[in-house]
Amino acid sequence: MRLQQVSDQDLVKLYIGGDESVIEELLRRHKSKIFTSIYLLVKDQYLAEDIFQDAFIKVINTLRSGRYNEEGKFLPWVMRIAHNLVIDYFRKEKRTPTITSADGTDVLNLIQIHEESAEERMLREQTHTDLRKMIQYLPDEQKEVLIMRHYADLSFKEIAELTDVSINTALGRMRYALSNLRKMMNVKEISISRG
């Protein structure tokens, strides 16, 4: 059996059934998404690593104790655990999280990678860099929804639960975020064409 072809749900069942080795596959599959979503919130590599490890310890303890019941929703469940640990950290620190995109991390993988020329690659990288800078200017709640939706692949229902707002509020924040990004891109194009 090749673990890469087994669903998250089945890997979880195997792990609960006593196959310790499958946790490595779950970790390999989701580490970059979970770690990056933590890092975007805390903006500190070492702190993000600590919170990521705490999240996975909590995941393992919950699975071992038989309290896991999120049928087929492994990644959103882990994201919720990680998000709650970040909130706990900020509560302890008496600070509110601000969400930014880390340099070098593609928050929005908007452009499909295909056989591209050097010019196309430079243009794509510049677009991603520009986009990351523009995301910095969004209000925190718009930034948060945008990152959770496009980077962490969470549904609006999951985003609403994580951020403790209604689904309509989450959708509205996403609409405003995209609208604001469009306006910023238009302004940038106008300034480039005038330059």
Side-chain angles (χ1 to χ4, degrees), residues 31-47:
K31 180 176 183 187
S32 70
K33 279 186 179 179
I34 298 162
F35 177 81
T36 304
S37 68
I38 295 167
Y39 181 75
L40 292 172
L41 290 162
V42 299
K43 295 194 232 32
D44 178 297
Q45 178 88 18
Y46 298 109
L47 177 59

PDB file of all heavy atoms in Angstrom, residues 31-47:
ATOM      1  N   LYS A  31       2.364  19.811   6.359  1.00  0.00           N
ATOM      2  CA  LYS A  31       3.238  20.679   7.165  1.00  0.00           C
ATOM      3  C   LYS A  31       3.344  22.086   6.587  1.00  0.00           C
ATOM      4  O   LYS A  31       3.213  23.067   7.316  1.00  0.00           O
ATOM      5  CB  LYS A  31       4.622  20.074   7.316  1.00  0.00           C
ATOM      6  CG  LYS A  31       5.492  20.989   8.158  1.00  0.00           C
ATOM      7  CD  LYS A  31       6.865  20.466   8.466  1.00  0.00           C
ATOM      8  CE  LYS A  31       7.524  21.505   9.371  1.00  0.00           C
ATOM      9  NZ  LYS A  31       8.865  21.289   9.668  1.00  0.00           N
ATOM     10  N   SER A  32       3.597  22.220   5.276  1.00  0.00           N
ATOM     11  CA  SER A  32       3.868  23.560   4.744  1.00  0.00           C
ATOM     12  C   SER A  32       2.643  24.457   4.870  1.00  0.00           C
ATOM     13  O   SER A  32       2.766  25.632   5.216  1.00  0.00           O
ATOM     14  CB  SER A  32       4.380  23.498   3.307  1.00  0.00           C
ATOM     15  OG  SER A  32       3.348  23.105   2.448  1.00  0.00           O
ATOM     16  N   LYS A  33       1.448  23.925   4.630  1.00  0.00           N
ATOM     17  CA  LYS A  33       0.233  24.751   4.747  1.00  0.00           C
ATOM     18  C   LYS A  33       0.008  25.192   6.189  1.00  0.00           C
ATOM     19  O   LYS A  33      -0.274  26.357   6.460  1.00  0.00           O
ATOM     20  CB  LYS A  33      -1.001  23.983   4.274  1.00  0.00           C
ATOM     21  CG  LYS A  33      -1.152  23.995   2.793  1.00  0.00           C
ATOM     22  CD  LYS A  33      -2.441  23.354   2.368  1.00  0.00           C
ATOM     23  CE  LYS A  33      -2.544  23.417   0.858  1.00  0.00           C
ATOM     24  NZ  LYS A  33      -3.733  22.823   0.336  1.00  0.00           N
ATOM     25  N   ILE A  34       0.130  24.249   7.115  1.00  0.00           N
ATOM     26  CA  ILE A  34      -0.138  24.555   8.522  1.00  0.00           C
ATOM     27  C   ILE A  34       0.937  25.504   9.059  1.00  0.00           C
ATOM     28  O   ILE A  34       0.624  26.528   9.660  1.00  0.00           O
ATOM     29  CB  ILE A  34      -0.199  23.256   9.360  1.00  0.00           C
ATOM     30  CG1 ILE A  34      -1.357  22.372   8.873  1.00  0.00           C
ATOM     31  CG2 ILE A  34      -0.355  23.570  10.844  1.00  0.00           C
ATOM     32  CD1 ILE A  34      -1.269  20.928   9.309  1.00  0.00           C
ATOM     33  N   PHE A  35       2.208  25.173   8.793  1.00  0.00           N
ATOM     34  CA  PHE A  35       3.298  26.010   9.298  1.00  0.00           C
ATOM     35  C   PHE A  35       3.189  27.430   8.734  1.00  0.00           C
ATOM     36  O   PHE A  35       3.320  28.410   9.467  1.00  0.00           O
ATOM     37  CB  PHE A  35       4.662  25.408   8.947  1.00  0.00           C
ATOM     38  CG  PHE A  35       5.803  26.289   9.382  1.00  0.00           C
ATOM     39  CD1 PHE A  35       6.223  26.271  10.698  1.00  0.00           C
ATOM     40  CD2 PHE A  35       6.410  27.168   8.492  1.00  0.00           C
ATOM     41  CE1 PHE A  35       7.250  27.110  11.127  1.00  0.00           C
ATOM     42  CE2 PHE A  35       7.430  28.007   8.906  1.00  0.00           C
ATOM     43  CZ  PHE A  35       7.852  27.976  10.229  1.00  0.00           C
ATOM     44  N   THR A  36       2.949  27.543   7.431  1.00  0.00           N
ATOM     45  CA  THR A  36       2.885  28.871   6.815  1.00  0.00           C
ATOM     46  C   THR A  36       1.727  29.678   7.377  1.00  0.00           C
ATOM     47  O   THR A  36       1.874  30.877   7.634  1.00  0.00           O
ATOM     48  CB  THR A  36       2.785  28.760   5.285  1.00  0.00           C
ATOM     49  OG1 THR A  36       3.894  27.996   4.824  1.00  0.00           O
ATOM     50  CG2 THR A  36       2.819  30.127   4.625  1.00  0.00           C
ATOM     51  N   SER A  37       0.585  29.031   7.606  1.00  0.00           N
ATOM     52  CA  SER A  37      -0.553  29.791   8.151  1.00  0.00           C
ATOM     53  C   SER A  37      -0.241  30.282   9.571  1.00  0.00           C
ATOM     54  O   SER A  37      -0.646  31.380   9.941  1.00  0.00           O
ATOM     55  CB  SER A  37      -1.846  28.976   8.115  1.00  0.00           C
ATOM     56  OG  SER A  37      -1.775  27.907   9.010  1.00  0.00           O
ATOM     57  N   ILE A  38       0.529  29.501  10.343  1.00  0.00           N
ATOM     58  CA  ILE A  38       0.952  29.947  11.683  1.00  0.00           C
ATOM     59  C   ILE A  38       1.944  31.102  11.535  1.00  0.00           C
ATOM     60  O   ILE A  38       1.816  32.142  12.183  1.00  0.00           O
ATOM     61  CB  ILE A  38       1.603  28.792  12.483  1.00  0.00           C
ATOM     62  CG1 ILE A  38       0.585  27.691  12.782  1.00  0.00           C
ATOM     63  CG2 ILE A  38       2.223  29.306  13.789  1.00  0.00           C
ATOM     64  CD1 ILE A  38       1.196  26.387  13.290  1.00  0.00           C
ATOM     65  N   TYR A  39       2.922  30.923  10.648  1.00  0.00           N
ATOM     66  CA  TYR A  39       3.968  31.933  10.464  1.00  0.00           C
ATOM     67  C   TYR A  39       3.382  33.272  10.006  1.00  0.00           C
ATOM     68  O   TYR A  39       3.809  34.340  10.449  1.00  0.00           O
ATOM     69  CB  TYR A  39       5.014  31.431   9.463  1.00  0.00           C
ATOM     70  CG  TYR A  39       6.137  32.421   9.255  1.00  0.00           C
ATOM     71  CD1 TYR A  39       7.125  32.579  10.227  1.00  0.00           C
ATOM     72  CD2 TYR A  39       6.198  33.207   8.113  1.00  0.00           C
ATOM     73  CE1 TYR A  39       8.146  33.502  10.061  1.00  0.00           C
ATOM     74  CE2 TYR A  39       7.215  34.133   7.945  1.00  0.00           C
ATOM     75  CZ  TYR A  39       8.186  34.271   8.914  1.00  0.00           C
ATOM     76  OH  TYR A  39       9.191  35.189   8.740  1.00  0.00           O
ATOM     77  N   LEU A  40       2.385  33.221   9.128  1.00  0.00           N
ATOM     78  CA  LEU A  40       1.754  34.458   8.647  1.00  0.00           C
ATOM     79  C   LEU A  40       1.102  35.220   9.795  1.00  0.00           C
ATOM     80  O   LEU A  40       0.978  36.436   9.740  1.00  0.00           O
ATOM     81  CB  LEU A  40       0.703  34.133   7.580  1.00  0.00           C
ATOM     82  CG  LEU A  40       1.244  33.598   6.249  1.00  0.00           C
ATOM     83  CD1 LEU A  40       0.103  33.130   5.367  1.00  0.00           C
ATOM     84  CD2 LEU A  40       2.095  34.623   5.541  1.00  0.00           C
ATOM     85  N   LEU A  41       0.688  34.503  10.830  1.00  0.00           N
ATOM     86  CA  LEU A  41       0.064  35.150  11.981  1.00  0.00           C
ATOM     87  C   LEU A  41       1.101  35.680  12.969  1.00  0.00           C
ATOM     88  O   LEU A  41       0.953  36.782  13.478  1.00  0.00           O
ATOM     89  CB  LEU A  41      -0.871  34.164  12.693  1.00  0.00           C
ATOM     90  CG  LEU A  41      -2.144  33.785  11.937  1.00  0.00           C
ATOM     91  CD1 LEU A  41      -2.736  32.515  12.510  1.00  0.00           C
ATOM     92  CD2 LEU A  41      -3.148  34.911  12.000  1.00  0.00           C
ATOM     93  N   VAL A  42       2.147  34.899  13.239  1.00  0.00           N
ATOM     94  CA  VAL A  42       3.078  35.294  14.314  1.00  0.00           C
ATOM     95  C   VAL A  42       4.333  36.004  13.813  1.00  0.00           C
ATOM     96  O   VAL A  42       5.006  36.669  14.597  1.00  0.00           O
ATOM     97  CB  VAL A  42       3.478  34.084  15.215  1.00  0.00           C
ATOM     98  CG1 VAL A  42       2.264  33.494  15.886  1.00  0.00           C
ATOM     99  CG2 VAL A  42       4.256  33.028  14.440  1.00  0.00           C
ATOM    100  N   LYS A  43       4.645  35.842  12.531  1.00  0.00           N
ATOM    101  CA  LYS A  43       5.798  36.514  11.907  1.00  0.00           C
ATOM    102  C   LYS A  43       7.130  36.229  12.601  1.00  0.00           C
ATOM    103  O   LYS A  43       7.987  37.103  12.684  1.00  0.00           O
ATOM    104  CB  LYS A  43       5.584  38.025  11.868  1.00  0.00           C
ATOM    105  CG  LYS A  43       4.460  38.484  11.000  1.00  0.00           C
ATOM    106  CD  LYS A  43       4.596  39.961  10.794  1.00  0.00           C
ATOM    107  CE  LYS A  43       3.417  40.799  11.068  1.00  0.00           C
ATOM    108  NZ  LYS A  43       2.471  40.506  12.052  1.00  0.00           N
ATOM    109  N   ASP A  44       7.290  35.038  13.150  1.00  0.00           N
ATOM    110  CA  ASP A  44       8.532  34.666  13.821  1.00  0.00           C
ATOM    111  C   ASP A  44       8.761  33.176  13.586  1.00  0.00           C
ATOM    112  O   ASP A  44       7.956  32.344  14.000  1.00  0.00           O
ATOM    113  CB  ASP A  44       8.407  34.971  15.324  1.00  0.00           C
ATOM    114  CG  ASP A  44       9.655  34.561  16.103  1.00  0.00           C
ATOM    115  OD1 ASP A  44       9.971  33.349  16.130  1.00  0.00           O
ATOM    116  OD2 ASP A  44      10.280  35.452  16.696  1.00  0.00           O
ATOM    117  N   GLN A  45       9.867  32.869  12.911  1.00  0.00           N
ATOM    118  CA  GLN A  45      10.177  31.491  12.504  1.00  0.00           C
ATOM    119  C   GLN A  45      10.182  30.526  13.697  1.00  0.00           C
ATOM    120  O   GLN A  45       9.561  29.473  13.653  1.00  0.00           O
ATOM    121  CB  GLN A  45      11.555  31.511  11.821  1.00  0.00           C
ATOM    122  CG  GLN A  45      12.061  30.160  11.386  1.00  0.00           C
ATOM    123  CD  GLN A  45      11.611  29.775   9.993  1.00  0.00           C
ATOM    124  OE1 GLN A  45      11.194  30.617   9.220  1.00  0.00           O
ATOM    125  NE2 GLN A  45      11.665  28.502   9.692  1.00  0.00           N
ATOM    126  N   TYR A  46      10.905  30.890  14.778  1.00  0.00           N
ATOM    127  CA  TYR A  46      11.056  29.973  15.919  1.00  0.00           C
ATOM    128  C   TYR A  46       9.738  29.799  16.668  1.00  0.00           C
ATOM    129  O   TYR A  46       9.381  28.697  17.066  1.00  0.00           O
ATOM    130  CB  TYR A  46      12.155  30.474  16.861  1.00  0.00           C
ATOM    131  CG  TYR A  46      13.488  30.526  16.170  1.00  0.00           C
ATOM    132  CD1 TYR A  46      14.077  31.743  15.837  1.00  0.00           C
ATOM    133  CD2 TYR A  46      14.151  29.352  15.809  1.00  0.00           C
ATOM    134  CE1 TYR A  46      15.297  31.788  15.162  1.00  0.00           C
ATOM    135  CE2 TYR A  46      15.370  29.388  15.138  1.00  0.00           C
ATOM    136  CZ  TYR A  46      15.934  30.613  14.819  1.00  0.00           C
ATOM    137  OH  TYR A  46      17.128  30.640  14.153  1.00  0.00           O
ATOM    138  N   LEU A  47       9.014  30.894  16.832  1.00  0.00           N
ATOM    139  CA  LEU A  47       7.713  30.823  17.495  1.00  0.00           C
ATOM    140  C   LEU A  47       6.748  29.976  16.658  1.00  0.00           C
ATOM    141  O   LEU A  47       6.019  29.134  17.196  1.00  0.00           O
ATOM    142  CB  LEU A  47       7.153  32.242  17.691  1.00  0.00           C
ATOM    143  CG  LEU A  47       5.762  32.337  18.307  1.00  0.00           C
ATOM    144  CD1 LEU A  47       5.729  31.679  19.684  1.00  0.00           C
ATOM    145  CD2 LEU A  47       5.345  33.802  18.407  1.00  0.00           C
TER     146      LEU A  47
END
